[in-house]
Amino acid sequence: MAITTNLLATSNSVKLDGVSFFSSFSGKLNHCLPCRVPQPMTRTVQTSCCYRETSLKAVTQFAMPETEQSIISDGIGILRFLKGKNYLVTGATGFLAKVLIEKLLRESPEIGKIFFLIKSDDQESANKRLYDEIITSDLFKLLKKNHGSSYEAFMKSKLIPVIGDIGEENLGMESATAAKISSEIEVIISCAGRTTFDDRYDFALNVNALGPGRLLRFGKGCKNLILFLHFSTAYVTGKKEGTILETPLCIGVNINSDLNIESELKLASEAVLKLQGSEETKKLKELGIQRAQHYGWENTYTFTKAMGESIIHSQRGDLPVVIIRPSVIESSYKEPFPGWLQGIRMSDPIILAYGKGQISDFWADYQSLMDFIPVDMVANATIAAMAKHSRGVSELKVYNVTSSSHVNPLRVGELMDLAHQHLRDSPLTVIKNNLERMKFHSSLEGFTSSVFNTLAKHERGDAEAQHTGLSMRGKRMLNYFVSLARTYEPYTFFQARILRFDDTNTKRLFQELSMEERKMFEFDISGIDWEHYIVNVHLPGLKRELFKERSR
């Protein structure tokens, strides 16, 4: 779930070793190996119950007729498209948008301007956010190396902070600013969103449902606009079985016809008036979950993102639109360097707590699919889609950027076995006993009981663990882990036989690239080596991010 940020997060947080953890979607080095396997081979992964041999022979290219290959020998002209283009980006300081911006600037220094909407009190504070959150970020160190002493000047000439808010009418921009931007931009990238799974219903509706519509209306007034691109999440279709197609969402077609967005807005507004006081936030969060589950979604985030997609579909007119639906976005696979991460994301709080010996159990199916997608592959697929759909054709195209439908998908059990392998050899902390393999529970009750006993042992010792309660801190940690388990349940019991993502459009998009473009904008998801990614890339990157957060 894009699930980032695009990304999904639970609002319940707890401080462990001084770090506040949130889980997010939304949503993979000491060295970096080529993605493709040149010859048949097998890979052995030790699991908690057996060794699993997975054939890599089936990592194949998407076949195309020779005539079609000859047509695309020159690719789709990505660099030609990027040169001189001006953009408006929302959510620019978030995980995914920052990686996208870095890639645009690094591969096409002759790009035009990137205006980015930013919540700020005044221009001075907006400029400070640009400097603190982007210019000085380690993500941009390759750009800094390339430009040397002129780096800051280059960045400030390309990145233009604009005070505004997607949650306000007219995007919260001053009229003069809006007029200037609307005369210059050619592409709008909608990356802003509230990514909390159980967010307040009124807040999520305002940003995730109504925000894209506000941005779209602004785009229709931009005389040079050629494309509107929106980031959604692969889990936007709700609790469905079968194949999730790369098709637009439309109320009455593939969304329950009983859903009325205006009625939901009215319901949320009335609830705000009634619930003023100490219980307001809690009750509005509960309302969001109730309404989502009533209509067939797991949580408030995916429900309101679905509303946002349906508004784009119904209001776009003849404007070309691309919707990118990533799954669980995690650390970079290669670019700008392996393992870059911003924040403690989706599965990371569980992995870190496991590495510290705080838990050794989870509520999940060992064989369940874990649909991770590296952030740089999402960015590359996005840039390719922008270039392809900037030719004035009035269509709405959806791309599922996911991994679980490919040969050799990552599974929950394999993820935790690889985490055990890495954390045993390179521990986060000294623990009393050797790190045990993760145990999986089929019931929430069994998981809760086991975590309670583990926390009690930490607090009281083995002898007293069965006869004592938990401290207040222990209770907070128990509630936190149970909350995470509840939040992740739709994803940790995710099975291919029940649900799979169709990514035909994404595969075809990659095949349309020239060989040079494929090297420069890599998103061949079938080539991901999960063992390499988890052990050598993601977990080292996660550790760096953990230590960075501790030092803040």
Side-chain angles (χ1 to χ4, degrees):
M1 315 152 254
I3 279 186
T4 161
T5 23
N6 216 35
L7 320 146
L8 308 181
T10 174
S11 61
N12 296 306
S13 66
V14 65
K15 278 203 170 184
L16 305 180
D17 292 353
V19 179
S20 293
F21 289 141
F22 300 84
S23 69
S24 68
F25 265 19
S26 119
K28 281 171 161 206
L29 192 219
N30 297 330
H31 60 282
C32 190
L33 303 177
C35 291
R36 297 181 184 79
V37 180
Q39 58 186 3
M41 60 181 292
T42 58
R43 176 182 74 183
T44 302
V45 179
Q46 187 175 4
T47 68
S48 59
C49 57
C50 62
Y51 281 83
R52 182 174 77 118
E53 288 196 348
T54 54
S55 173
L56 297 185
K57 184 176 180 180
V59 177
T60 58
Q61 295 296 318
F62 185 79
M64 296 186 69
E66 287 186 15
T67 54
E68 191 169 351
Q69 288 181 353
S70 64
I71 292 173
I72 63 165
S73 60
D74 294 330
I76 59 179
I78 296 178
L79 293 181
R80 184 170 61 250
F81 160 75
L82 294 178
K83 186 176 181 180
K85 290 293 187 301
N86 296 315
Y87 301 81
L88 172 63
V89 181
T90 64
T93 59
F95 176 48
L96 173 56
K98 281 170 73 168
V99 173
L100 178 60
I101 289 170
E102 191 278 339
K103 179 71 171 183
L104 289 171
L105 293 173
R106 179 160 47 87
E107 298 295 359
S108 182
E110 294 179 328
I111 197 173
K113 297 175 183 177
I114 301 177
F115 298 92
F116 61 94
L117 202 65
I118 189 167
K119 293 174 69 173
S120 199
D121 294 332
D122 52 46
Q123 195 61 49
E124 182 180 355
S125 57
N127 292 338
K128 187 176 188 304
R129 283 195 66 186
L130 166 64
Y131 184 82
D132 292 343
E133 299 181 45
I134 295 182
I135 292 178
T136 61
S137 170
D138 62 346
L139 173 66
F140 296 86
K141 64 183 183 183
L142 284 185
L143 270 172
K144 189 173 184 178
K145 180 180 179 181
N146 292 343
H147 291 274
S149 59
S150 63
Y151 167 70
E152 283 194 22
F154 169 77
M155 295 292 278
K156 290 177 180 178
S157 71
K158 300 295 183 181
L159 302 178
I160 315 297
V162 177
I163 299 173
D165 186 347
I166 197 173
E168 297 180 10
E169 289 305 317
N170 302 317
L171 304 180
M173 288 191 289
E174 295 181 354
S175 57
T177 302
K180 172 178 170 53
I181 293 174
S182 66
S183 68
E184 294 190 39
I185 62 170
E186 291 139 302
V187 178
I188 289 178
I189 300 175
S190 169
C191 200
R194 294 183 65 89
T195 58
T196 305
F197 276 7
D198 61 343
D199 200 3
R200 282 179 53 140
Y201 196 34
D202 56 331
F203 289 175
L205 281 170
N206 185 43
V207 175
N208 295 343
L210 300 185
R214 296 187 186 107
L215 193 58
L216 186 69
R217 286 193 294 276
F218 175 77
K220 286 184 174 182
C222 299
K223 61 182 181 181
N224 297 317
L225 192 71
I226 57 175
L227 184 67
F228 182 95
L229 185 139
H230 176 69
F231 283 104
S232 185
T233 167
Y235 302 95
V236 74
T237 56
K239 300 177 182 178
K240 294 186 182 297
E241 295 186 2
T243 301
I244 304 302
L245 300 175
E246 294 171 300
T247 53
L249 292 183
C250 180
I251 294 175
V253 178
N254 47 14
I255 293 181
N256 191 325
S257 59
D258 293 335
L259 175 61
N260 185 298
I261 296 176
E262 290 297 327
S263 296
E264 295 303 306
L265 293 170
K266 182 179 178 183
L267 178 67
S269 297
E270 291 173 349
V272 171
L273 295 175
K274 291 178 182 177
L275 296 173
Q276 289 180 348
S278 59
E279 291 290 296
E280 178 182 4
T281 296
K282 178 184 176 184
K283 294 296 183 182
L284 286 168
K285 287 183 175 185
E286 292 173 353
L287 178 63
I289 294 293
Q290 289 168 5
R291 300 307 292 171
Q293 295 183 350
H294 172 74
Y295 284 107
W297 275 262
E298 292 89 356
N299 52 60
T300 309
Y301 171 74
T302 53
F303 182 42
T304 54
K305 290 293 281 186
M307 292 187 208
E309 273 202 31
S310 71
I311 289 174
I312 290 172
H313 178 58
S314 64
Q315 297 182 3
R316 75 178 184 91
D318 60 357
L319 182 65
V321 170
V322 168
I323 294 178
I324 305 291
R325 292 180 183 163
S327 52
V328 182
I329 305 178
E330 283 291 359
S331 60
S332 58
Y333 194 65
K334 292 181 180 179
E335 297 183 85
F337 50 87
W340 188 80
L341 192 63
Q342 178 172 288
I344 305 299
R345 312 184 66 76
M346 172 62 179
S347 62
D348 301 338
I350 296 300
I351 292 174
L352 292 175
Y354 168 63
K356 297 171 188 173
Q358 293 166 335
I359 61 168
S360 56
D361 308 74
F362 203 57
W363 183 34
D365 181 349
Y366 183 92
Q367 290 295 331
S368 184
L369 299 174
M370 181 58 75
D371 203 306
F372 278 6
I373 190 74
V375 64
D376 50 333
M377 291 195 174
V378 180
N380 287 338
T382 299
I383 294 170
M386 285 194 301
K388 176 179 172 60
H389 297 284
S390 62
R391 299 163 185 168
V393 178
S394 176
E395 64 177 337
L396 194 165
K397 199 75 170 181
V398 176
Y399 291 92
N400 287 337
V401 187
T402 58
S403 63
S404 61
S405 62
H406 290 261
V407 175
N408 253 1
L410 179 67
R411 298 184 183 274
V412 172
E414 182 180 8
L415 169 65
M416 295 313 301
D417 283 338
L418 293 172
H420 172 264
Q421 172 188 324
H422 177 87
L423 295 169
R424 178 196 59 201
D425 298 337
S426 180
L428 281 173
T429 186
V430 176
I431 57 176
K432 184 177 180 181
N433 301 310
N434 291 331
L435 188 66
E436 299 178 354
R437 292 189 177 279
M438 177 73 81
K439 297 185 287 291
F440 295 89
H441 296 267
S442 59
S443 72
L444 181 61
E445 292 75 16
F447 165 73
T448 303
S449 175
S450 184
V451 173
F452 177 93
N453 291 334
T454 299
L455 293 173
K457 286 178 183 179
H458 276 286
E459 292 188 346
R460 311 292 187 212
D462 292 348
E464 300 179 33
Q466 300 295 327
H467 308 289
T468 60
L470 296 175
S471 65
M472 289 301 297
R473 182 177 183 274
K475 290 177 181 177
R476 285 196 300 272
M477 292 178 68
L478 177 63
N479 290 337
Y480 172 67
F481 291 131
V482 170
S483 174
L484 282 183
R486 289 182 186 276
T487 299
Y488 295 163
E489 186 270 338
Y491 313 103
T492 52
F493 287 90
F494 177 81
Q495 290 288 353
R497 68 176 182 271
I498 299 174
L499 177 70
R500 68 175 293 273
F501 297 112
D502 171 34
D503 60 353
T504 302
N505 290 344
T506 304
K507 289 176 181 175
R508 285 177 176 166
L509 178 65
F510 184 73
Q511 290 298 320
E512 289 184 44
L513 305 185
S514 67
M515 294 308 297
E516 188 63 30
E517 287 174 333
R518 293 183 193 184
K519 293 175 184 177
M520 190 175 293
F521 300 94
E522 170 67 49
F523 58 97
D524 181 11
I525 296 157
S526 66
I528 296 175
D529 180 336
W530 292 112
E531 182 176 2
H532 163 67
Y533 173 68
I534 298 300
V535 174
N536 298 324
V537 180
H538 181 61
L539 292 178
L542 176 58
K543 286 180 177 179
R544 288 193 296 271
E545 183 64 15
L546 172 65
F547 299 143
K548 188 189 304 180
E549 291 212 357
R550 281 178 174 173
S551 65
R552 286 172 184 161

